Amino acid sequence: MLKLYDIEVSSRLLLGTALYPSPAIMAEAIGASGADIVTVSLRREASGGKTGGQFWSLIQSLGVRVLPNTAGCHSVKEAVTTARMAREVFGTSWIKLEVIGNHDTLQPDVFGLIEAAKILAAEGFEVFPYTTDDLVVAGRLLDAGCKVLMPWCAPIGSARGPQNLDALRSLRGHFPDVPLIVDAGIGRPSHAATVMELGYDAVLLNTAVAKAGDPVAMAAAFGKAVDAGRQAFLAGPLEPRDMAVPSTPVIGMAAFS
């Protein structure tokens, strides 16, 4: 089981709800993935009118926990206001906090992120900050009141997979008791398995499933990859070696001249 704040969930895969070909395919993909948590943008709910209401009803019917996000926010004020509205709309103190600092890479504005996290934590929010893999920023977010961190492994939607495994490994090593969820940049199930093998607690993704040729099949593949990566981590994977090591014993072998 994975514990996030005071809530336990069984799945270590979190899914986004944007970009799917249809609401029906989205619902089927979520079911196939086994995810217990989905992210939902307040902007979609607020701007969708009747369609937005139908979307929210569909999400509720799936029996999953909702993690609202502040996607698209580029300032502290905008992110905090959106979070407050999301708490009213979705009835949860959980918030995936995004404060975007660069339009091209969608990299977080870590200074604004820390400021917004401090404000929201003081108001009783349980903050899931979308951040970089920087150790100092991670520490500041924990000081601000966050109890979960969501570092990226590549820019949002890029599908590049882990760009800096050393940084991700270092982050895991420095904060062994903090739930760490890799968020953004994962494109293939093998990417998810790789970060889970490092000891990360969960993976959040959206585009890699929603824009796949078969979102439902891809969601199922990611669910299996996350489970496999977690099991491999717990089993203790063999570390890479600089040279070959024979798997067949050489002592006692017959010598032929």
Side-chain angles (χ1 to χ4, degrees), residues 2-5 14 67 95-97 113-114 117 126-152 168 170-172 174-184 200-204:
L2 171 62
K3 188 172 184 179
L4 302 172
Y5 287 94
L14 292 70
L67 174 59
I95 191 72
K96 180 192 171 190
L97 181 61
L113 182 68
I114 294 168
E126 295 171 313
V127 182
F128 294 67
Y130 163 60
T131 183
T132 64
D133 52 22
D134 185 276
L135 289 174
V136 176
V137 173
R140 295 289 188 273
L141 287 168
L142 295 175
D143 291 342
C146 300
K147 296 182 180 180
V148 176
L149 299 176
M150 304 183 76
W152 72 346
L168 291 174
S170 180
L171 195 63
R172 177 72 285 177
H174 276 77
F175 303 104
D177 300 321
V178 176
L180 300 179
I181 303 172
V182 170
D183 176 19
Y200 276 75
D201 297 283
V203 166
L204 169 60

Side-chain angles (χ1 to χ4, degrees), residues 188-194 196-197 219-231:
R188 301 188 179 196
S190 58
H191 298 159
T194 295
M196 291 300 293
E197 287 174 4
F222 268 107
K224 293 175 182 177
V226 168
D227 287 343
R230 178 63 179 177
Q231 291 177 29

Side-chain angles (χ1 to χ4, degrees), residues 13 24 34 40 60 89 128 140 156 163 180 196 229:
L13 175 61
V40 177
Q60 289 178 306
V89 171
F128 294 67
R140 295 289 188 273
I156 293 174
Q163 293 189 131
L180 300 179
M196 291 300 293

